[in-house]
Amino acid sequence: MPLKATAHIEAMSAFALANFGGFDRPTLAQNESAFPPSPSAIEAGREAVARSYLYPDPDWTLLRDAIAKTYGVERDLILCGAGSMDLIACTIAAFAGPGADVLGTDYAYNFAASAAARVGATYVKAAERGFEVSIDAILAALTPATRIVFVCNPGNPTGTRIKNAELLRLRAALPGDVLLMIDQAYGEFDDQDPQAVFALAGRGDTVVLRSLSKAYGLAGARIGWGLFAPQIAAEVRKMQNSNQVPTVSLAMAVAALEDQAYMRSTVARTADSRDRFAQGLKAAGYEIPESRTNFVLVRFADAAAATAADSALRGADIVVRGMAGYGLADCLRITIGPPEVMDRTLRALTAMRGRRCW
Ligand SMILES: Cc1ncc(COP(=O)(O)O)c(C=O)c1O
């Protein structure tokens, strides 16, 4: 008899990562930071290497202190994880399973669907309108099976944001036994005051997730955090591997948080570069939703035009992300990378419009 995986695991697809085509240099395909982390984070990581013979602090003590101080949030509500993916997966595993629905939106970060499939839950999508999350569509899509609502703010791959007032309206309209997960991996790129949304976590029916992978440039260190009421945190921690954030990563994260000026400068430089790139593409006739993140979604005439542009860019050593997995085969998602790469990408895409490649 051949060895078989559990039926629902065998039936699911593996989470789709970017196809690098053998590139070993930074790409514009993974929404990594265009800039390295703060020099003080790099130095702290170097120093922590020597402590790596010990297991890391399972309670993330110093990291929680730094997060509480930096973001003005209650220390006791903070959980950390190996990237926010860890917290997404563990929260969904703890609160959904066979017979339960996880309700996302058309273009919410796909990993939530994968996390639901892992535990045999059903992932359903509420329609977005013009690449923006519609709170009314989410409320209309609720069923008695809905256990979790998952929204990204700002969204990946659209880059668009939900106004805080709309999120508060969503929470107020959801039944108390539906867990609202608000994924803010790109939250530092959004200029809305986060406190009203952070405060939702205190209700005991909402979690808010953040990442150090984007604005802090620590994707390779794998650090995420979130705000969880104690009764939710207790269940999520049962699903987490202990000691999952490495010693070096913890040290880097604390130092990165302590250097807010550097993070703010990364965000400002990235946003400037993004807005220049988006303006250039719009001037060339491309359609681009307004991004509050470190990437833009570019729409082409059709899927063939997007595929042709993807191949032409790869030919010029520029790797971007195809969006067929989101049902957006006519779009490419382009991370904001180093300025020189953005200039080359803009020139290449502008030339394609000139040649009417789409
Ligand atoms: C919306 C969103 N949430 C979460 C993540 C995962 O981030 P992390 O690196 O913290 O696991 C990503 C990564 O691209 C993302 O785009």
Side-chain angles (χ1 to χ4, degrees), residues 189-279:
F189 291 91
D190 182 3
D191 58 8
Q192 298 187 90
D193 181 344
Q195 291 307 327
V197 171
F198 285 164
L200 291 176
R203 295 170 46 115
D205 54 16
T206 303
V207 302
V208 185
L209 303 170
R210 290 265 173 153
S211 172
L212 271 75
S213 297
K214 311 299 178 183
Y216 293 92
L218 286 173
R222 311 304 302 126
I223 307 141
W225 61 276
L227 299 173
F228 297 73
Q231 62 276 31
I232 302 177
E235 306 306 330
V236 173
R237 289 206 76 166
K238 291 178 192 168
M239 302 309 301
Q240 289 193 290
N241 294 329
S242 48
N243 309 95
Q244 84 286 54
V245 186
T247 302
V248 170
S249 301
L250 289 171
M252 294 187 85
V254 169
L257 287 163
E258 284 171 353
D259 194 352
Q260 285 295 297
Y262 184 91
M263 184 277 282
R264 284 281 142 229
S265 140
T266 295
V267 167
R269 286 189 291 163
T270 305
D272 275 358
S273 176
R274 174 197 69 208
D275 293 344
R276 245 182 297 114
F277 182 66
Q279 275 313 320

Side-chain angles (χ1 to χ4, degrees), residues 170-200:
L170 173 63
R171 181 62 268 178
L174 287 174
D177 63 349
V178 171
L179 176 64
L180 175 61
M181 294 176 67
I182 304 173
D183 173 348
Q184 299 194 325
Y186 303 92
E188 288 76 11
F189 291 91
D190 182 3
D191 58 8
Q192 298 187 90
D193 181 344
Q195 291 307 327
V197 171
F198 285 164
L200 291 176

